Amino acid sequence: MIKFLILILGIVFAGTPYNQKKVLVLSDNPAVYVSHSQFFNLLSKTYRVDYKNIQSNTFNLQLFGEWQYDHLILFSTTNDLKVSIQELLDFYDSGRNILLLGSTDQSKYFRKFLNSFGLDMHEYGSSVIDYFNNIKGNHNIVTTTNVNILKVDKPVAHQGAGLAMTPYETFQVYGLVRGSETAFSGSNLSHNIIYVGATQGRNNARFVATGSWEILSDEYLNNSNLGNFELTQEIIRWGFGQSKILKAENLIHRRLDSDDIKPYNYRLREDCYFSIDIFEWDYQKDQWIPYVSTENDVILEFVMLDPYYRVPLKKGQGAKYELSFKIPDVYGVFQFKINYLKPGYTFLKIAEKITVRPFRHDEYGRYLVQAYPYYFSSFGTMAGFVVFLIAFLLNK
Amino acid sequence: MSSEEETQQSLSYKVHKSTLKWAPVFNMTILLSIAIISCLIRVFSVIRYESIIHEFDPWFNYRTTQYLVKEGPYALWNWYDSESWYPLGRSVGGTVYPGLMMTSGMIYWVLHKLSIPIDIRNVCVFLAPIFSAFTSLAAYGMTKEITKRSEAGLLSALFVAIVPSYMSRSVAGSYDNEGVSIFALVFTFYTFLKTVNTGSILWGVYTALAFFYMVASWGGYAFIINIIPIFVLFLLITGRSNQRIQVAYNVFYILGTLLAMQIPFVGFQALHSSEHMASHAVFLLINFLNFFSWIRNFVSKKAIITLTKFLVVFLVFSILVGVVILTLAGKTQWSGRSLTLLDPTYAKKYIPIIASVSEHQATTWSSFFFDLHYLILFSPVGLYYCYYKPTETKIFGALYTVLGVYFASVMVRLLLVLAPAVSIMAGIGISWAFRKFAKSVRSFILPKIEKPKKYRIPPEISIIGLVLLGYYCSIYVLHANFAGSEAYASPSIILSSRDRQGNRNIIDDYREAYYWLRMNTKADDKIMSWWDYGYQITGMSNRTVLVDNNTWNNTHIATVGMAMASSEEDAFEICEKLDVDYVLVIFGGILNYSGDDINKFLWMVRIGGGVYPHIKEEDYYGKGTYRVDQYATETMTNSLMYRLSYYRFDEVQTAYGQPKGYDTVRQAVIGVKGYKLRHFEEAFTSENWIVRIFKRKQRENRDGVAFTSKQTSQFTIPKETIPVTKFSKKANIKQRFTLNFNE
């Protein structure tokens, strides 16, 4: 007997919130602890923070195969790290988050590191210039209101290098804070300058990079006209997996007229009901709350090689997203697929296999109208045979 | 002197008389011995190897039988198998000839009712040898119906019992449809000839039932449903038709067609497929002629002529219109295999998937001789005898042989259909020759019984002839014995080799790998391999496969072919779309095992290219030939099949005096060495590298970029970057892929 193993692919990997997570801060400039005191204050409210010098040998990212930290903050310098890029990437690929505070004169090491996330930094020594949106006429301190994904109401100040999304824009790489239309940088006149970029891995680990680490300094954070304080808060929340975290659970599919959940198989042309609960993490209440998507964009696909259905799920009660539909007139191994890749949110990739079988031999309709000639002729033949037999016997 | 002669004569008389008296006993004893021999000669494979299911198709039959025994016949009828042809699945109940499974299920149930707790595997393994015994009995009956002579029947039975061609498909463990259906074929012919000889409706019903069993067990039933109408037509044309023929054909046709429709796989094909058209036409014709001759009794001669004209025109017109309508509407069409039979070059031109199967190739003389041996020399004698003084049954035998020779020449596997015919003809021919020789010898020894005729072969020549015939027969027996014990005893999933000391080494890579799959992969993992191994993987590893030996969906097979023929990146995309978890390739480069996937690769390319035209066969030819060495084309060396087969192959020394990475099958050093796989990782390689299994890796977590050489220190414009994942190219391929998929 074929047993059906139910496979739910990648519901939630990373960022399951837990209060006392360990953050490692790496920098070789002790001055940042003074200049960024606000930032570190914010950080230590939620996390246990470890400060290490980039050059020092006194820390281990990994000890006996166990990662020692949950998140990593890098203040980029002109020096290289003792840790190899691959190890940092492994750290990230294991589902942990990294925040890179870049600077325009950072070493090749950091550039390469940035590149492996699909982001790139502008030329050495370059700095973003904006003659229209700046603070007090200083065109090197630029402001922008173009903030995506994060919730910042006031304009954000930026000073230093810009980031660029490397040639191929993907669903994973975002510009969290983008320069205004009038910003440019060195020889690069593209209007697509990113001040704060981010990457979310397929394992939902998050990576945030800023073009310069000055923007998180006390100087800007204390300025109540600017949104840099909120931005810092949001970067920590989003980057370290506190906000925009989704999880999907309680996947149910059944025949519309039956309570038998996840049946062994379906017959073609049956009515089927599908529902799934999607929750979002609320970092304020510290609990999962139903996720409400206003855009009706949670889409269910019913796939066998190609999608036979591609329909948005309807919002039901609580966290429930549901839909009932008629299974197509095709048999095969189908999959309920949800591929929810909303920018900024946890990727939800759900696939559930079911078998759609053809009719059983006794499930076809009986006594069809169009078959009456057949019934009539067969019984007619039988009757005729009897009549013939009697006539034949009596005639002898 | 004379008294001495008399006593001697009386002694020989006595011997002669008592021999005649005991003849039926001898007859039965010999027949029984033949049946036993036919069974025993087929169990060499069990003795040499073990009681195991052989080859490819038998594994499916075995799995289906297990399902039948466990779940019952109705469950089999409705079995929708989601473990094969992922994700399409296969509706097994409607696409299988259940005769074989039902037979072994029946035997299993009866034995279990009798409290004999036999394993279903052993029923399956020994089914074919048991049925070969029945076949020899049926051949005896059939020959007897043809010649009315039991000595010819006995010889035929012996020949059928050990003919290598039949043995190749019916050794113990070869659990295939042909194992039972050759019996059904011969038995149907036997009952049909009996009906022809007796004109009995009862025997006609038996014919229909035997035909039903044949339909239930093998697609080769089309041979019967065509040869019998041809036979009847032949008799009609030659004016030999009579009442008995009419009875035989009508009963067979009506009941046989109705019964054939009961098999789900055949269903209404029995009415509208082209294979059945001849039977419908002959049925109409024979009854029309009958009706016509009946009408002639009532109508004047003049009226008859006009009536004939009218009826002929009407008949021709209606048949023409009918055929045109049916063909235009696509209601009737020849299946690819049948068309291949009519036009041997058809498959090569249009259906590479049929042409790719070795048993669908045209037969070579060597296989003719190996499989039939001296029978092909003696069967013309039998044919001559049949045409010499023809009766209906003799004509049937001769027709069967002639048609069988044609079909066997077109396809290797149809030698099987010819084998009984040739055996019977050879039996008839040899017994005839024996009889002639024996008569002359007898007339020499017993002149009183055997009156000398005008012309008779001189006894000396007769004796030489007898000795020669006996010698040839024994050579045939020896050859059959060799074929049964050596050539056809190999289960093909277990290989054996002999080393220099003559010791036999068992090479068990297949089972090693299949067992690895069974134990080390998740229950719903999907295995991609070329379709040859599909049945074995589902049967032995119990894992889902994409394609298997039931080649019902050419597009799906072509997709797998395309994946194998594409570069690793493209193949990864295809594999991801098809949810492939593991890729299995067969590689013989170490062990000089020539039936491996690299040798089959051109067929994958051809079949893949038949559906996806961007795969071109010539791209895989380096310097005009198919090669794997340094002159192999880039397309070839980049293909997934090449990459997986030769992964890390350059690290091993395979042959003495050759550099590392020397492929013993292709006899060349491979062209690409020391490469790494990006999207696949080696999961398992069997002891002799015959089976290699690779796991598809997950997609990478990030899509990063790497810059060319020195540009890293500067911010660079996009043109000079090389994306690690080739987005542009990927998008292209994906598009092409989905487009073709929808077609």
Side-chain angles (χ1 to χ4, degrees), chain B residues 222-239:
Chain B
F223 187 68
I224 300 183
I225 201 67
N226 281 309
I227 195 172
I228 290 181
I230 289 173
F231 163 67
V232 172
L233 191 69
F234 186 83
L235 292 187
L236 284 176
I237 289 169
T238 51

Side-chain angles (χ1 to χ4, degrees), chain B residues 253-266:
Chain B
Y253 168 79
I254 294 170
L255 284 181
T257 309
L258 279 177
L259 285 171
M261 285 171 73
Q262 307 310 309
I263 303 297
F265 194 17
V266 179

Side-chain angles (χ1 to χ4, degrees), chain A residues 71-105:
Chain A
H71 311 297
L72 181 66
I73 297 175
L74 290 166
F75 282 86
S76 65
T77 66
T78 49
N79 298 316
D80 289 0
L81 236 67
K82 285 276 186 275
V83 186
S84 71
I85 293 182
Q86 193 50 51
E87 194 173 349
L88 289 182
L89 292 176
D90 287 345
F91 179 82
Y92 177 81
D93 290 343
S94 71
R96 289 161 170 79
N97 308 311
I98 295 177
L99 170 58
L100 172 66
L101 302 172
S103 64
T104 168
D105 54 353

Side-chain angles (χ1 to χ4, degrees), chain B residues 426-665:
Chain B
I428 291 170
I430 289 182
S431 84
W432 187 40
F434 263 137
R435 206 160 60 238
K436 288 275 177 217
F437 291 142
K439 252 185 192 167
S440 91
V441 175
R442 220 181 303 149
S443 69
F444 181 66
I445 301 171
L446 307 166
K448 281 202 178 165
I449 296 173
E450 205 72 60
K451 295 268 158 21
K453 277 185 193 167
K454 251 194 250 162
Y455 174 73
R456 174 143 292 166
I457 310 161
E460 303 84 9
I461 292 177
S462 298
I463 286 170
I464 293 170
L466 281 174
V467 169
L468 268 179
L469 278 182
Y471 173 71
Y472 284 134
C473 285
S474 49
I475 292 274
Y476 169 71
V477 170
L478 286 178
H479 172 76
N481 193 35
F482 161 75
S485 68
E486 297 281 343
Y488 292 135
S490 166
S492 97
I493 55 165
I494 311 174
L495 311 167
S496 73
S497 68
R498 281 182 197 279
D499 59 18
R500 278 178 215 160
Q501 280 79 40
N503 300 320
R504 263 170 94 245
N505 293 322
I506 294 291
I507 298 158
D508 212 356
D509 281 39
Y510 280 105
R511 284 199 295 175
E512 186 192 345
Y514 293 144
Y515 195 68
W516 183 89
L517 273 180
R518 193 185 188 100
M519 304 310 287
N520 294 288
T521 57
K522 291 201 290 297
D524 67 340
D525 275 349
K526 267 70 71 182
I527 321 287
M528 180 170 91
S529 70
W530 191 234
W531 60 264
D532 297 24
Y533 316 105
Y535 278 164
Q536 292 182 348
I537 294 172
T538 37
M540 278 188 262
S541 309
N542 195 20
R543 290 293 175 269
T544 310
V545 293
L546 272 73
V547 289
D548 63 28
N549 310 47
N550 176 262
T551 51
W552 68 274
N553 190 322
N554 188 38
T555 312
H556 211 49
I557 290 183
T559 310
V560 171
M562 171 171 72
M564 295 294 192
S566 307
S567 69
E568 203 191 330
E569 262 81 26
D570 297 349
F572 177 77
E573 300 290 333
I574 301 166
C575 289
E576 195 183 44
K577 190 172 162 78
L578 295 171
D579 296 326
V580 172
D581 298 292
Y582 291 90
V583 181
L584 181 145
V585 294
I586 304 295
F587 175 63
I590 289 210
L591 212 67
N592 195 6
Y593 174 61
S594 60
D596 68 353
D597 276 349
I598 292 281
N599 274 4
K600 290 176 185 170
F601 186 48
L602 272 186
W603 285 111
M604 302 182 205
V605 171
R606 276 176 208 150
I607 292 167
V611 178
Y612 304 100
H614 69 275
I615 304 217
K616 293 184 191 69
E617 193 179 335
E618 57 269 22
D619 291 348
Y620 296 83
Y621 289 114
K623 292 203 161 186
T625 52
Y626 179 67
R627 59 204 307 161
V628 298
D629 59 8
Q630 50 177 326
Y631 301 113
T633 58
E634 210 176 318
T635 320
M636 174 71 193
T637 54
N638 280 338
S639 66
L640 184 70
M641 178 51 74
Y642 190 94
R643 292 271 154 159
L644 297 189
S645 288
Y646 290 122
Y647 181 61
R648 297 186 66 196
F649 183 61
D650 51 318
E651 294 170 23
V652 285
Q653 178 107 33
T654 52
Y656 180 75
Q658 295 288 354
K660 285 183 174 176
Y662 177 77
D663 185 332
T664 52
V665 179

Side-chain angles (χ1 to χ4, degrees), chain B residues 340 347-349 351-361 603:
Chain B
T340 312
K348 216 164 221 173
K349 275 186 260 172
I351 323 171
I353 202 148
I354 289 181
S356 77
V357 182
S358 62
E359 61 183 24
H360 291 163
Q361 304 299 320
W603 285 111

Side-chain angles (χ1 to χ4, degrees), chain A residues 110-363:
Chain A
F110 288 100
R111 282 177 178 270
K112 272 190 180 168
F113 180 61
L114 199 56
N115 288 342
S116 32
F117 289 93
L119 285 162
D120 196 17
M121 180 166 275
H122 288 178
E123 293 153 27
Y124 264 118
S126 71
S127 131
V128 182
I129 295 167
D130 193 333
Y131 290 111
F132 299 92
N133 302 302
N134 49 35
I135 295 176
K136 294 172 192 162
N138 183 351
H139 57 246
N140 280 324
I141 305 175
V142 297
T143 60
T144 179
T145 51
N146 190 353
V147 182
N148 311 305
I149 297 171
L150 308 179
K151 233 180 98 183
V152 180
D153 302 328
K154 297 175 205 165
V156 173
H158 179 82
Q159 177 190 4
L163 298 174
M165 201 179 277
T166 36
Y168 308 99
E169 191 157 342
T170 76
F171 66 99
Q172 292 180 287
V173 186
Y174 321 117
L176 293 182
V177 180
R178 284 173 186 271
S180 55
E181 287 280 292
T182 49
F184 66 96
S185 167
S187 60
N188 179 30
L189 293 171
S190 125
H191 298 299
N192 233 344
I193 297 174
I194 295 169
Y195 298 161
V196 180
T199 296
Q200 181 162 275
R202 287 198 170 80
N203 62 354
N204 291 318
R206 286 166 180 178
F207 170 81
V208 180
T210 64
S212 78
W213 39 268
E214 280 90 2
I215 60 163
L216 301 186
S217 67
D218 295 352
E219 189 192 339
Y220 295 108
L221 262 59
N222 289 334
N223 189 339
S224 56
N225 293 328
L226 295 175
N228 284 38
F229 184 78
E230 283 99 330
L231 179 70
T232 313
Q233 262 184 332
E234 282 284 295
I235 284 177
I236 293 172
R237 274 184 205 138
W238 189 85
F240 292 169
Q242 290 271 27
S243 66
K244 303 208 187 259
I245 295 290
L246 300 179
K247 74 165 179 181
E249 56 184 29
N250 196 17
L251 187 156
I252 288 173
H253 59 84
R254 57 176 165 81
R255 293 189 176 90
L256 194 59
D257 51 358
S258 136
D259 288 332
D260 183 15
I261 288 168
K262 296 191 179 179
Y264 168 66
N265 57 23
Y266 291 89
R267 200 201 64 210
L268 42 86
R269 283 195 244 154
E270 267 181 334
D271 289 316
C272 161
Y273 169 84
F274 176 90
S275 85
I276 191 160
D277 293 352
I278 301 179
F279 294 95
E280 185 180 7
W281 178 252
D282 188 336
Y283 53 89
Q284 280 157 338
K285 292 185 199 154
D286 222 22
Q287 66 181 33
W288 292 102
I289 55 165
Y291 169 68
V292 183
S293 169
T294 47
E295 288 154 36
N296 203 22
D297 55 2
V298 185
I299 288 170
L300 176 74
E301 289 182 326
F302 195 57
V303 184
M304 186 194 71
L305 289 178
D306 298 308
Y308 282 73
Y309 277 101
R310 190 181 269 157
V311 203
L313 288 171
K314 292 187 189 87
K315 182 81 185 69
Q317 285 204 327
K320 200 171 280 300
Y321 284 82
E322 59 188 1
L323 187 73
S324 45
F325 60 92
K326 197 181 205 72
I327 287 178
D329 200 359
V330 178
Y331 57 80
V333 181
F334 280 82
Q335 289 185 69
F336 294 107
K337 269 190 178 171
I338 294 178
N339 206 357
Y340 193 60
L341 306 175
K342 196 167 185 175
Y345 283 89
T346 314
F347 300 142
L348 292 179
K349 277 201 156 190
I350 295 154
E352 167 105 357
K353 258 182 221 91
I354 60 154
T355 301
V356 176
R357 62 168 174 83
F359 283 93
R360 282 174 57 88
H361 71 278
D362 52 1
E363 279 176 338

